[in-house]
Amino acid sequence: MVKNKINFKELYQKTSLITPLTYDCGRLCGSICCLPDQKNSLGIYLLPGEETMFTGNEDWLQWELRKPEEDDFPPNWVYPVFFLRCIKPCPRDRRPLNCRFFPLAPHLLPDNTLLLIYETLPLPYSCPLINNKIPLRKDFITTVAACWQELLKEPRIRALVETDSRDRERDCLQPTVLWLNQF
Ligand code: SF4
Ligand code: SF4
């Protein structure tokens, strides 16, 4: 078993109040990223160890336990990878980290420079924050960056970010950079 060094409780506290805009960005799109799509494919992956922040009895969640190789996770990921679907709005202070960070994603350059970029994964909806490049709050960006600096200390999470970054480079994606740091 891989030791979990990440203090998820601390990261949840750190991100409890941050929002991309000064107002609820769900007003721009009807909170489309929280609604099921036609294929019911929308959901959120938990990071390894993040499941400890949940009881498993949340009435707003459906849980799916996935094999890492089914979803192209790096070889150091182990079963189960937790995939959550929301069947009603979440209590905001319980939402997973990947919801708190959206629409930002981490990208690691080969020299280990960490960038924050707009999420480049194909999405079944259109996010006005990404499409219209609406300026995001600075405290949101710096808090998300601080969280990723901590999360990247976990080997499975780092492997995932490295894999996604190399994939982006292979696909010649030129993401918009919103934050940059070397460490
Ligand atoms: S993150 Fe984007 S898609 Fe989700 S609620 Fe905000 S504006 Fe809408
Ligand atoms: S956990 Fe909350 S913020 Fe995340 S997708 Fe579900 S309803 Fe939306």
Side-chain angles (χ1 to χ4, degrees):
M1 198 163 130
V2 186
K3 192 166 178 263
N4 169 33
K5 299 176 193 143
I6 301 296
N7 186 338
F8 282 100
K9 208 169 167 191
E10 198 174 286
L11 295 185
Y12 270 49
Q13 278 164 0
K14 200 183 277 202
T15 52
S16 63
L17 296 178
I18 57 158
T19 49
L21 304 180
T22 49
Y23 57 92
D24 176 9
C25 61
R27 280 164 39 196
L28 300 172
C29 63
S31 298
I32 197 163
C33 59
C34 295
L35 302 173
D37 62 330
Q38 282 188 341
K39 293 183 184 161
N40 199 23
S41 64
L42 262 184
I44 313 113
Y45 287 105
L46 295 184
L47 296 169
E50 192 181 1
E51 67 279 6
T52 56
M53 297 302 294
F54 297 83
T55 63
N57 295 321
E58 290 79 8
D59 65 356
W60 47 283
L61 282 179
Q62 270 176 353
W63 291 73
E64 192 175 326
L65 276 52
R66 308 274 307 167
K67 293 181 185 154
E69 61 274 19
E70 279 175 346
D71 297 344
D72 293 330
F73 281 95
N76 61 351
W77 282 56
V78 294
Y79 178 86
V81 177
F82 296 99
F83 184 73
L84 310 183
R85 288 189 181 84
C86 296
I87 48 179
K88 48 172 136 165
C90 63
R92 195 172 164 74
D93 62 339
R94 306 312 313 150
R95 69 200 192 286
L97 286 178
N98 275 326
C99 297
R100 296 167 193 238
F101 296 160
F102 192 81
L104 296 176
H107 183 95
L108 268 179
L109 296 177
D111 70 359
N112 282 331
T113 302
L114 172 65
L115 313 178
L116 288 184
I117 60 171
Y118 286 121
E119 182 57 78
T120 56
L121 285 173
L123 302 169
Y125 56 83
S126 154
C127 170
L129 297 181
I130 300 177
N131 289 356
N132 303 338
K133 294 198 167 38
I134 298 173
L136 307 180
R137 285 173 60 154
K138 280 207 170 57
D139 63 341
F140 170 74
I141 296 174
T142 53
T143 304
V144 173
C147 291
W148 277 112
Q149 284 173 313
E150 186 60 26
L151 288 165
L152 286 171
K153 294 175 185 165
E154 210 282 346
R156 291 166 294 183
I157 298 175
R158 190 174 188 94
L160 177 65
V161 173
E162 283 174 344
T163 304
D164 289 347
S165 302
R166 297 298 78 75
D167 287 349
R168 264 183 220 112
E169 285 161 9
R170 221 175 3 259
D171 294 343
C172 297
L173 293 178
Q174 302 219 316
T176 307
V177 177
L178 290 106
W179 184 90
L180 174 151
N181 188 40
Q182 195 142 20
F183 66 100

